[in-house]
Amino acid sequence: MPTEYASATVWGVVVALGVATFGIRASFVYLFGRIDEVPDRVTNALEFVPPAVFAALALPAIVAPEGAIAIVGNERLTAGVLASAVAWYVEDILATIVVGMAALWLLRFGI
């Protein structure tokens, strides 16, 4: 995809973001290598990181599959809500995946 930016600018941004990402990850390795005991507040806060990352990755694809928020006629949203209900009540990953995919397949292609 062509852009308005020069090749050196694009590569500069890529390198800068790579260095920043590496620095953030290295800081955690350095920090937790120097601390003998992680405080309880940090441990409790870090428990919420995986669900937050998953929600940030999955929610836009479910709520806005075409780039704009679509609630009416959005089969991904309906299947996601059904899968979320199964995950909440059953707490089984396989059942959640099966119900979510089956609901999406039925809503998209019908019987």
Side-chain angles (χ1 to χ4, degrees):
M1 178 170 91
T3 65
E4 300 174 5
Y5 300 106
S7 181
T9 304
V10 173
W11 280 108
V13 169
V14 169
V15 169
L17 290 175
V19 168
T21 300
F22 178 78
I24 291 169
R25 292 180 184 196
S27 69
F28 275 101
V29 170
Y30 177 76
L31 176 68
F32 286 120
R34 294 185 52 98
I35 296 176
D36 292 333
E37 195 170 309
V38 179
D40 289 336
R41 290 181 67 178
V42 174
T43 304
N44 291 339
L46 288 176
E47 290 178 7
F48 294 104
V49 171
V53 170
F54 177 72
L57 292 173
L59 202 60
I62 293 172
V63 177
E66 303 296 325
I69 295 176
I71 295 176
V72 177
N74 186 353
E75 64 268 353
R76 289 183 184 185
L77 181 61
T78 306
V81 169
L82 288 172
S84 298
V86 169
W88 182 271
Y89 289 112
V90 179
E91 296 181 2
D92 182 21
I93 294 174
L94 183 60
T96 303
I97 293 170
V98 168
V99 168
M101 290 305 295
L104 182 62
W105 190 78
L106 287 172
L107 289 169
R108 183 166 288 179
F109 302 115
I111 294 179

